[in-house]
């Protein structure tokens, strides 16, 4: 607790005054050290085009709202068509020189970037909490999980190594190399303002690509800070560009012939639209989408460890994680588990993310709160039992915040809307299965496939689970099995569209293409004539 208070004090000191001057001399607010009511109007978030932070000429804007206070933190202009084309042009022009920059030089930029992120982690966390609402502890985790991808990118050279086979035929050698694609783009969600951009552009640019980043219009500040740090680390002008907007700029990214690949994280509706539209244009797409992550709890599971895991994974970040644990399937009588679960959930502190004792903050918007409350009510009306209701919580001093307390529904069945839909709030659904096999069938019938977990003391049960479960990421006594960057984030089924997943080897493969070279260096006999037969390695 003392460490967190010290972190808050350092961040607030770093953010006074609340205007953070970017290298381009454009002033942009990063956080909430000072009340914005003292400012004449919220500062405008800039585009980044060709190495310069520039104010958009657009008169259409979206306010970035602090979800705990409803104050306007900043204002996001919707990037114009001309500005978007300028960003793509800058990325295209920067590509030839950047792809020919030695991989060791590109790695050193990442080494410097990870150092700078560590230096400014408090500033980034403060901005994330201000714009997105999550607790400062969770915001630090947001940055750190992205930082791990930057660290992984520092060893990109070995991941890009090709293959070589000498003398595949008489005097002929064949080898393959991995080359960058060109201009790539990333479209980010609101729930991880630092981690998701860092899943994308560090891998892409270290592979030799240039990049167009579109942050969420709900919380773009972390992306702006990260871009500033990337430029300070030595990333050349035009290698990373930032544009802002909603449907129009997303469609422009899908349609632009200069953009070769698109990374997306967000909802199924948007994800499938982007996948379909961009794929039809011949682009590579990796689209991480919705989820309904389940945990099976067997009777032999460790009680304390399991309850702590369920509470943390179900209610952390106010449930706004694509790997949040939203559904628990108890094998056998669930009542004793549910009673203890309610008791622990009641002890969680709901507050502004800036408060050191906060366990969970608000959801992102009033519309998000209304949707979560509607899905809770639909569960009740469909026959689920409301064991804990967090809909009417009021946080003193933050009465206008988008707060929902931990909520637990029991007796949930697969035909209920609250089960079919991704709730994306601090709501835990409890189901009952008569056997282990029935529990596995419940999970496998669900259309989503991001993650699944089991809690048990039985190695045989765990092995059966990992073999038979149809989900991309499996946790055994681990509630949120998100892999570290030397593996890949391997969501499946309706949770992912595309062929190559995020980060790790799959991420490198996504941002590169294979070129295979066959060469012959030998003295050729003269006068042998021309042969039009198919060349083979066999002597006929």
């Amino acid at each position: 607790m003392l460490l967190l208070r010290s972190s808050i004090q350092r961040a607030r000191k770093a953010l006074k005054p609340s205007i953070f001057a970017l290298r381009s001399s454009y002033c942009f607010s990063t956080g909430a050290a000072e009340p914005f009511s003292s400012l004449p109007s919220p500062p405008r978030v800039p585009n980044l085009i060709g190495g310069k932070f520039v104010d958009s000429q657009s008169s259409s804007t979206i306010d970035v709202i602090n979800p705990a206070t409803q104050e306007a933190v900043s204002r996001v202009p919707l990037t114009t068509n001309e500005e978007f084309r300028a960003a793509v042009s800058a990325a295209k022009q920067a590509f030839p020189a950047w792809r020919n920059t030695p991989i060791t030089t590109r790695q050193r930029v990442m080494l410097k970037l990870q150092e700078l992120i560590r230096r400014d982690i408090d500033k980034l966390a403060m901005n994330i909490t201000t714009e997105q609402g999550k607790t400062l502890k969770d915001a630090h985790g947001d940055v750190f999980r992205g930082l791990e991808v930057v660290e992984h990118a520092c060893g990109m050279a070995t991941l890009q190594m090709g293959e070589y086979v000498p003398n595949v035929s008489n005097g002929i050698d064949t080898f393959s190399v991995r080359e960058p694609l060109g201009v790539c783009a990333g479209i980010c969600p609101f729930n991880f303002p630092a981690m998701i951009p860092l899943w994308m552009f560090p891998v892409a640019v270290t592979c030799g690509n240039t990049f167009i980043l579109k942050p969420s219009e709900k919380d773009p500040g972390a992306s702006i800070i990260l871009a500033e740090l990337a430029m300070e680390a030595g990333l050349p002008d035009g290698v990373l560009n930032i544009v802002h907007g909603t449907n129009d700029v997303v469609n422009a990214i899908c349609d632009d012939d200069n953009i070769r690949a698109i990374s997306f994280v967000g909802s199924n509706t948007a994800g499938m639209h982007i996948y379909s539209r961009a794929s039809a244009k011949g682009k590579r797409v990796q689209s991480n989408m919705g989820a309904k992550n389940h945990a099976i709890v067997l009777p032999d599971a460790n009680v304390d460890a399991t309850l702590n895991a369920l509470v943390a994974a179900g209610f952390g970040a106010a449930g706004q994680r694509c790997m949040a644990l939203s559904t628990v399937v108890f094998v056998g009588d669930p009542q004793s588990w549910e009673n203890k679960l309610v008791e622990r959930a009641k002890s969680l502190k709901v507050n502004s993310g800036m408060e050191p004792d906060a366990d969970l903050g608000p959801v992102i918007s009033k519309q998000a709160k209304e949707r979560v409350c509607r899905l809770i009510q639909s569960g009740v009306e469909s026959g689920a039992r409301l064991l804990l209701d967090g809909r009417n919580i009021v946080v003193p001093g933050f009465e206008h915040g988008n707060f929902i307390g931990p909520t637990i529904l029991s007796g949930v069945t697969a035909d209920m809307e609250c089960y079919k839909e991704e709730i994306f709030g601090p709501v835990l659904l409890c189901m009952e299965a008569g056997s282990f096999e029935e529990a596995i069938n419940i999970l496998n019938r669900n259309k989503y496939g991001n993650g699944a977990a089991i809690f048990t003391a039985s190695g045989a049960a765990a092995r059966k689970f990992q073999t038979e479960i149809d989900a991309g990421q499996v946790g055994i006594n681990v509630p949120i099995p998100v892999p570290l960057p030397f593996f890949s984030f391997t969501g499946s089924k309706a949770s992912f569209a595309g062929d190559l997943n995020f980060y790790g080897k799959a991420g490198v493969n996504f941002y590169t293409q294979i070129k295979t070279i066959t060469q012959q260096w030998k003295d050729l006999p003269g006068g042998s004539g021309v042969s039009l037969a198919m060349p083979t390695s066999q002597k006929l």
Side-chain angles (χ1 to χ4, degrees):
M1 185 63 73
L2 288 174
L3 182 63
L4 182 60
R5 285 198 179 100
S6 173
S7 173
I8 295 172
Q9 290 167 358
R10 288 198 310 272
R12 284 179 172 155
K13 183 177 180 181
L15 287 168
K16 290 184 178 181
S18 65
I19 299 299
F20 174 53
L22 296 172
R23 178 190 297 175
S24 62
S25 299
Y26 184 92
C27 290
F28 170 69
S29 166
T30 64
E34 303 289 342
F36 282 98
S37 57
S38 63
L39 298 174
S41 64
R44 287 165 62 94
V45 182
N47 294 316
L48 173 60
I49 301 174
K52 293 182 173 58
F53 289 96
V54 292
D55 188 14
S56 173
Q57 297 302 303
S58 176
S59 58
S60 300
T61 61
I62 296 174
D63 283 348
V64 176
I65 302 296
N66 182 325
T69 66
Q70 304 306 314
E71 290 179 302
V73 175
S74 58
R75 189 160 287 161
V76 183
L78 306 185
T79 299
T80 66
N81 290 335
E82 292 75 15
E83 290 161 352
F84 173 75
R85 287 195 292 268
V88 175
S89 176
K92 187 177 181 180
Q93 290 175 28
F95 175 64
W98 181 242
R99 72 168 293 174
N100 289 321
T101 299
I103 181 63
T104 48
T105 302
R106 300 198 299 257
Q107 287 181 155
R108 289 187 194 106
V109 174
M110 291 299 111
L111 282 165
K112 183 63 177 177
L113 176 59
Q114 64 86 26
E115 175 192 333
L116 296 175
I117 291 173
R118 289 178 185 277
R119 182 195 71 188
D120 287 357
I121 192 168
D122 290 340
K123 184 185 296 182
L124 279 158
M126 183 71 78
N127 174 267
I128 291 168
T129 297
T130 301
E131 294 186 353
Q132 199 272 347
K134 64 178 65 177
T135 66
L136 274 172
K137 290 176 286 188
D138 202 31
H140 275 85
D142 186 331
V143 179
F144 192 79
R145 288 306 298 260
L147 177 62
E148 291 172 336
V149 179
V150 180
E151 292 172 338
H152 188 59
C154 296
M156 186 62 69
T158 54
L159 297 174
Q160 283 192 259
M161 291 172 67
E163 298 174 313
Y164 180 85
V165 178
N167 216 42
V168 294
S169 186
N170 247 358
I172 297 177
D173 309 322
T174 299
F175 59 97
S176 65
V177 295
R178 286 205 162 270
E179 297 187 333
L181 301 174
V183 181
C184 301
I187 301 169
C188 302
F190 72 83
N191 57 329
F192 286 98
M195 184 183 78
I196 301 300
L198 292 174
W199 276 14
M200 296 177 180
F201 80 81
V203 179
V205 302
T206 314
C207 285
N209 301 286
T210 55
F211 208 78
I212 308 292
L213 182 68
K214 194 207 85 67
S216 170
E217 66 279 5
K218 293 180 173 68
D219 45 19
S223 288
I224 296 291
I225 298 171
L226 290 169
E228 171 73 9
L229 297 181
M231 292 166 64
E232 184 180 344
L235 202 65
D237 294 351
V239 174
L240 175 63
N241 304 271
I242 296 179
V243 296
H244 303 285
T246 55
N247 297 346
D248 287 346
V249 75
V250 167
N251 287 337
I253 289 170
C254 293
D255 295 344
D256 194 292
D257 292 333
N258 293 302
I259 294 175
R260 298 286 307 280
I262 300 174
S263 300
F264 169 81
V265 177
S267 71
N268 277 69
T269 301
M272 288 311 300
H273 169 78
I274 291 165
Y275 179 75
S276 300
R277 185 162 181 153
S279 295
K281 290 282 187 175
K283 302 184 196 306
R284 288 188 182 182
V285 183
Q286 51 180 192
S287 182
N288 267 8
M289 299 178 288
K292 197 76 174 180
N293 305 307
H294 293 58
I296 292 176
V297 177
L298 295 184
D300 65 353
N302 180 288
V303 175
D304 281 337
T306 300
L307 289 170
N308 287 339
L310 296 179
V311 168
F315 304 123
Q320 296 177 120
R321 295 171 175 154
C322 63
M323 285 295 287
L325 191 60
S326 61
T327 306
V328 188
V329 182
F330 296 104
V331 177
D333 184 8
Q335 186 170 351
S336 64
W337 284 103
E338 290 173 349
N339 291 340
K340 293 171 184 174
L341 197 57
V342 169
E343 182 182 335
R344 297 208 182 190
K346 282 182 176 178
S347 69
L348 296 178
K349 179 77 170 178
V350 181
N351 209 334
S352 163
M354 292 292 180
E355 300 302 317
D357 62 346
D359 292 309
L360 60 157
V363 294
I364 187 68
S365 67
K366 287 189 175 298
Q367 293 79 7
K369 179 177 178 178
E370 290 168 2
R371 180 180 179 277
V372 172
C373 291
R374 178 182 62 78
L375 287 169
I376 294 169
Q377 185 60 32
S378 78
V380 173
E381 292 172 359
S382 298
R385 298 184 301 279
L386 191 59
L387 303 183
L388 184 62
D389 188 355
R391 289 176 291 178
N392 298 318
I393 191 167
V394 176
V395 177
F398 299 93
E399 289 81 4
H400 300 294
N402 309 320
F403 294 99
I404 304 174
T407 298
I408 300 175
L409 286 166
S410 177
V412 173
T413 57
D415 60 343
M416 294 181 182
E417 185 186 10
C418 64
Y419 177 79
K420 294 177 182 177
E421 295 288 326
E422 182 180 29
I423 297 177
F424 228 57
V427 182
L428 195 57
L429 309 181
C430 296
M431 304 178 75
E432 181 180 353
S435 67
F436 186 25
E437 287 73 17
E438 182 186 347
I440 290 176
N441 288 335
I442 290 172
L443 269 65
N444 285 343
R445 283 195 298 266
N446 191 273
K447 69 178 181 178
Y448 294 109
N450 244 6
I454 186 172
F455 292 90
T456 181
S458 166
R463 193 170 190 280
K464 176 181 175 68
F465 179 79
Q466 74 181 44
T467 301
E468 296 184 10
I469 207 68
D470 189 6
Q473 293 159 123
V474 174
I476 298 172
N477 297 317
V478 174
I480 306 179
V482 177
L484 289 171
F486 32 84
F487 289 94
S488 297
F489 189 97
T490 52
S492 62
K493 295 164 68 176
S495 295
F496 181 75
D499 297 316
L500 295 166
N501 298 95
F502 281 80
Y503 62 76
K505 290 181 181 178
V508 174
N509 291 348
F510 178 78
Y511 288 120
T512 56
Q513 57 192 354
I514 297 176
K515 179 183 286 183
T516 304
I517 299 98
T518 301
Q519 62 180 10
Q520 176 177 255
W521 295 107
K522 66 178 184 179
D523 293 329
L524 298 176
S528 58
V530 176
S531 172
L532 301 185
M534 171 68 73
T536 73
S537 60
Q538 305 295 317
K539 290 185 178 180
L540 300 178

